[in-house]
């Protein structure tokens, strides 16, 4: 029975639950994304910790306990993000920075973070009641979880033999985390290329949506890959040429298998750095080998203070350059050709200016990629003579832009002209054919020829006298078709239609034949023109 008030309104049997504040609403999906980011950082730390502990156990002369090995693992994890470490145990007593990041180690945190972002974005579509987080929420949650573990690792590594520089860790770790998380969310959403968010100005959104930018990215990536491939070829050839020196330095560093295994792992981790150095060497600026020592194709100047390491044993000899070292200029030439080739659109309506602009943008993209890789692959290995190792990023980027721009623009214009040449010739031939066909003088001559061939079918209106049908022209064999580059004209002459009655046989001669009458249709001798398009080449 429903209870009512004095005014007759029914009383509610149960009050609806009070809405929970929006700020206090718990989201299981967001919590899972935070946990995923923290697990990605933990897996990277765990992998390096296991590797360092194994090398520490197998070392015959460990100089620290397991705590020191774990602190070193945390420092290596931060170094994999580009963080600069500080080594206090030096002969001079002056702290020495260690900032050269092995590029192969960067792949470990980047791949783990990208995977965590993809898993966080791969939630249900909401059909089964699952919570669907937007891309921005997934990105923020995964990044927060990763950075929380990164801050703890930075504090823990401060008590080890090689602590991290706090200022360097404050921006290197978030940079890697943000880029990897953005790449994972973008891949999980199907790698969309647009549209840009609404807060971006409309002019910028319309400009970015043009095809030239996608082509410029493709052309720049092709040029960067050619440069890196050339650098890898140079490094491999130099290692093979100096195989004896490389083997001697590898065996002289340590005599136990655990130490040689550690040296081998370090050489493999630094191999991508050597590839970038080879690309910078081919571009011309070269790379630094300490304070005052630079290796370029024109020569190896200065007195480098080099540690004994297998990769450094493959350096070119000191002194002026040779013909073989100057031949490395072919690598940027090939890169410029690649940028120009991939910057051309397969469309006839694109102008030469648009093609040249796309090639220039591709050269700029290639330069930015090489400059970023040069900055990531270089750094200090100590103080004073070991303060600078690797290529200078702005010199490498400027050289890459100059080489590729010098060749990409003319190559792109030439390729565009070559690809559109058949279409332009067809259009020009078509225009010439149409002009000749519709020319007034040619039209009058054709009309006169048709009138003479048709006889009485077409009277001559230019004469006052009655027209006398002209004698039909003698039959001529069919002539071959006249072919032009854009149209084919099949001209058939000598077409006769004789519709006079057939002769009567001798048996039917008794039958009175009807009086001969004129043919229903007089003989016709004319020409027929068939226009056909030439098939595309």
């Amino acid at each position: 029975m429903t209870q009512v008030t004095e005014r007759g309104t029914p009383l509610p049997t149960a009050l609806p639950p009070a809405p929970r504040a929006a700020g206090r609403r718990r989201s299981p999906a967001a919590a899972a994304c935070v946990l995923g980011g923290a697990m990605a950082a933990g897996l990277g730390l765990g992998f390096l910790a296991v590797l360092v502990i194994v090398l520490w156990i197998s070392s015959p002369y460990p100089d620290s306990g397991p705590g020191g090995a774990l602190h070193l693992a945390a420092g290596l994890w931060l170094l994999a993000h580009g963080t600069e470490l500080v080594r206090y145990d030096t002969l001079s007593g002056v702290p020495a920075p260690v900032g050269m990041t092995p590029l192969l180690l960067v792949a470990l945190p980047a791949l783990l973070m990208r995977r965590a972002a993809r898993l966080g974005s791969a939630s249900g579509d909401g059909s089964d009641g699952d919570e669907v987080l937007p891309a921005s929420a997934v990105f923020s949650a995964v990044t927060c979880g990763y950075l929380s573990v990164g801050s703890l690792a930075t504090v823990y590594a401060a008590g080890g033999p090689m602590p991290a520089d706090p200022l360097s860790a404050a921006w290197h770790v978030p940079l890697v985390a943000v880029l990897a998380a953005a790449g994972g969310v973008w891949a999980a959403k199907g790698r969309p290329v647009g549209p840009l968010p609404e807060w971006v100005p409309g002019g910028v959104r319309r400009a970015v949506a043009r095809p030239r930018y996608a082509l410029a990215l493709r052309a720049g990536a092709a040029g960067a890959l050619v440069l890196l491939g050339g650098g890898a070829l140079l490094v491999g050839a130099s290692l093979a040429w100096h195989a004896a020196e490389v083997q001697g330095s590898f065996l002289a560093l340590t005599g136990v298998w655990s130490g040689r295994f550690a040296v081998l792992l370090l050489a493999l981790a630094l191999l991508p750095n050597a590839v970038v150095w080879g690309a910078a060497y081919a571009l011309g600026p070269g790379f630094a080998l300490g304070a005052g020592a630079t290796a370029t194709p024109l020569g190896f100047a200065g007195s480098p203070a080099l540690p004994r390491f297998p990769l450094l044993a493959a350096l070119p000899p000191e002194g002026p350059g040779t013909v073989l070292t100057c031949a490395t200029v072919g690598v940027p030439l090939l890169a410029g050709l690649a940028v120009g080739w991939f910057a051309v659109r397969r469309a006839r309506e694109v102008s030469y200016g648009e093609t040249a602009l796309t090639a220039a943008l591709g050269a700029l993209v290639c330069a930015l990629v090489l400059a970023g890789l040069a900055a990531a692959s270089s750094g200090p290995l100590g103080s004073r003579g070991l303060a600078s190792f690797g290529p200078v990023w702005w010199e490498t980027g400027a050289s890459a832009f100059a080489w590729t721009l010098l060749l990409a623009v003319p190559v792109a214009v030439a390729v565009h002209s070559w690809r559109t040449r058949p279409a332009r010739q067809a259009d020009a031939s078509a225009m010439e054919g149409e002009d000749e066909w519709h020319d007034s003088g040619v039209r009058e001559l054709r009309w006169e020829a048709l009138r003479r061939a048709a006889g009485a079918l077409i009277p001559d209106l230019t004469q006052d006298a009655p027209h006398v049908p002209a004698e039909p022209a003698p039959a001529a064999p069919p002539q071959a078709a006249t072919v032009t580059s854009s149209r084919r004209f099949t001209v058939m002459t000598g077409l006769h239609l004789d519709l006079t009655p057939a002769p009567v046989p001798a048996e039917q001669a008794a039958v009175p034949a009807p009086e001969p009458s004129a043919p229903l249709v007089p003989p016709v001798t004319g020409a027929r023109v068939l226009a056909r398009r030439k098939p595309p080449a």
Side-chain angles (χ1 to χ4, degrees):
M1 181 175 180
T2 304
Q3 298 180 357
V4 297
T5 60
E6 296 179 356
R7 297 182 180 181
T9 58
L11 290 174
T13 56
L15 296 177
R20 184 178 297 175
R24 298 181 180 179
R25 186 173 62 87
R26 298 178 180 178
S27 174
C33 291
V34 174
L35 182 61
M39 288 184 62
L43 287 175
L45 273 170
F47 176 80
L48 292 177
V50 169
L51 183 61
V52 172
I53 288 294
V54 169
L55 294 176
W56 174 78
I57 293 174
S58 60
S59 176
Y61 307 104
D63 56 352
S64 61
L70 293 178
H71 283 89
L72 182 60
L76 287 178
W77 184 79
L78 294 173
L79 182 64
H81 293 77
T83 303
E84 187 176 289
L85 306 181
V86 181
R87 184 166 55 91
Y88 290 98
D89 188 11
T90 59
L91 296 177
S92 61
V94 179
V98 178
M100 181 179 293
T101 303
L103 293 183
L104 194 60
L105 282 183
V106 182
L108 177 64
L111 291 178
L112 291 174
M113 186 60 173
R114 184 177 182 273
R115 180 178 178 272
R118 288 192 62 183
L119 292 178
S121 301
S123 57
D125 55 356
S127 58
D128 299 334
D130 298 335
E131 184 181 6
V132 180
L133 292 178
S136 58
V138 173
F139 170 79
S140 302
V142 174
T143 305
C144 288
Y146 193 90
L147 293 181
S148 61
V149 177
S151 60
L152 296 177
T154 305
V155 175
Y156 181 76
M162 296 180 64
D165 185 9
L167 295 179
S168 179
W171 71 274
H172 278 100
V173 176
L175 178 63
V176 175
V178 165
L179 293 179
V185 173
W186 180 65
K189 297 301 180 181
R191 297 181 177 86
V193 294
L196 294 178
E198 296 182 356
W199 52 268
V200 179
V204 176
R205 285 184 291 174
R206 289 190 298 269
V208 173
R210 295 178 180 176
R212 75 161 71 109
Y213 295 100
L215 286 174
L217 290 176
R218 184 186 67 175
L225 288 178
V226 171
L227 288 174
L228 294 178
L233 183 61
L234 292 178
V235 171
S238 182
L239 288 175
W241 186 267
H242 302 87
E245 293 85 350
V246 173
Q247 183 181 4
S249 63
F250 179 76
L251 297 177
L253 283 175
T254 179
V256 296
W257 70 269
S258 58
R260 292 178 178 177
F261 182 68
V263 172
L264 180 61
L265 289 180
L266 182 58
L268 292 177
L270 289 172
L271 194 58
N273 298 59
V275 170
V276 178
W277 290 20
Y281 182 84
L283 285 171
F287 48 88
L289 294 169
T294 307
T296 64
L298 299 179
F300 192 171
S303 300
L306 299 177
R308 199 173 183 88
F309 194 70
L311 290 180
L312 296 178
L315 291 173
E318 299 183 12
T322 61
V323 178
L324 188 61
T325 59
C326 293
T328 57
V329 73
V331 175
L333 292 179
L334 292 177
L337 294 178
V339 172
W341 178 269
F342 285 96
V344 180
R345 287 180 58 190
R346 296 182 178 273
R348 294 170 51 189
E349 65 274 6
V350 179
S351 62
Y352 290 106
E354 180 74 13
T355 301
L357 179 59
T358 304
L361 292 176
L364 179 61
V365 171
C366 180
L368 292 177
V369 171
L370 263 296
L373 291 176
S377 64
S378 60
L381 288 179
S383 57
R384 297 180 181 178
L386 301 177
S388 60
F389 270 82
V392 181
W393 66 270
W394 64 269
E395 292 181 356
T396 304
S399 299
F401 180 71
W403 277 109
T404 52
L405 182 66
L406 182 65
L407 292 174
V409 173
V411 168
V413 173
V415 171
H416 176 69
S417 176
W418 175 68
R419 287 182 178 178
T420 57
R421 177 178 53 84
R424 286 186 287 104
Q425 287 183 353
D427 293 342
S429 301
M431 293 298 296
E432 292 177 0
E434 291 179 359
D435 293 341
E436 294 177 358
W437 179 259
H438 294 286
D439 186 74
S440 59
V442 176
R443 184 171 62 250
E444 293 175 358
L445 294 176
R446 284 200 316 272
W447 179 257
E448 182 65 22
L450 289 175
R451 187 187 62 79
R452 291 179 180 178
L457 292 180
I458 304 178
D460 189 0
L461 302 179
T462 60
Q463 299 179 3
D464 298 335
H467 176 69
V468 179
E471 292 294 332
Q479 299 178 357
T482 303
V483 182
T484 62
S485 60
S486 62
R487 295 177 180 269
R488 292 184 178 180
F489 303 99
T490 303
V491 181
M492 301 177 62
T493 60
L495 180 62
H496 297 274
L497 298 178
D498 191 1
L499 301 181
T500 57
V504 180
E507 297 82 8
Q508 300 179 2
V511 181
E515 296 182 359
S517 58
L520 299 178
V521 180
V524 177
T525 303
R528 185 181 182 186
V529 179
L530 301 178
R532 293 186 299 175
R533 288 283 184 181
K534 181 180 179 181

